[in-house]
Amino acid sequence: MARIAGVNIPTAKRVPIALTYITGIGPKTAEGICEALKIDAARRVNQLTDAEVLAIREYIDANLTVEGDLRREVTMNIKRLMDLGCYRGLRHRKGLPVRGQRTHTNARTRKGPAKAIAGKKK
């Protein structure tokens, strides 16, 4: 198993697909990495040489923010919004949708399971 950016990427998959297992690298970025390093996108990870794996690792370290650093940056951005007390920060703090979605119905992912209203009888 190749280890890149602290992640064991699957060896049987094609290189661009395997690179998407790293947080912060999507399909387009993965294809761009292969293009920049002149690695054929049809090759599998287990067919790569040690030098190619090292080149991928160095390219990612030099040009991209991935994994722990990316998570830390996103967390700090959310914390900054909450400290400012802006609308988006308040929505994060309350655990409600941040990007303008309706909450009258739906929004169960952010709000959690529905809570029954106690004491209401017919």
Side-chain angles (χ1 to χ4, degrees):
M1 240 190 206
R3 190 165 177 84
I4 299 175
V7 176
N8 292 329
I9 61 173
T11 54
K13 295 189 183 285
R14 292 186 311 113
V15 176
I17 303 300
L19 287 176
T20 61
Y21 280 66
I22 301 169
T23 303
I25 297 180
K28 191 76 173 170
T29 307
E31 287 175 19
I33 292 169
C34 292
E35 211 172 278
L37 299 175
K38 295 178 177 53
I39 295 172
D40 184 26
R43 289 176 65 193
R44 308 276 170 173
V45 175
N46 56 12
Q47 297 171 340
L48 293 176
T49 64
D50 290 338
E52 288 172 324
V53 173
L54 183 64
I56 291 172
R57 195 176 296 135
E58 288 173 351
Y59 182 88
I60 290 172
D61 287 342
N63 300 312
L64 301 171
T65 305
V66 292
E67 284 299 320
D69 293 336
L70 181 63
R71 286 194 184 101
R72 193 173 310 105
E73 189 176 318
V74 169
T75 305
M76 291 305 293
N77 288 340
I78 292 170
K79 186 178 182 317
R80 179 181 53 82
L81 290 171
M82 287 168 38
D83 291 343
L84 284 173
C86 65
Y87 182 78
R88 282 173 56 202
L90 295 176
R91 302 295 285 185
H92 274 293
R93 195 178 302 156
K94 291 178 183 175
L96 293 169
V98 177
R99 297 185 178 176
Q101 297 92 332
R102 65 181 286 127
T103 56
H104 179 72
T105 60
N106 303 333
R108 285 288 124 206
T109 302
R110 284 295 303 220
K111 292 168 73 174
K115 299 169 196 78
I117 300 170
K120 195 168 189 181
K121 293 182 182 178
K122 264 190 165 177

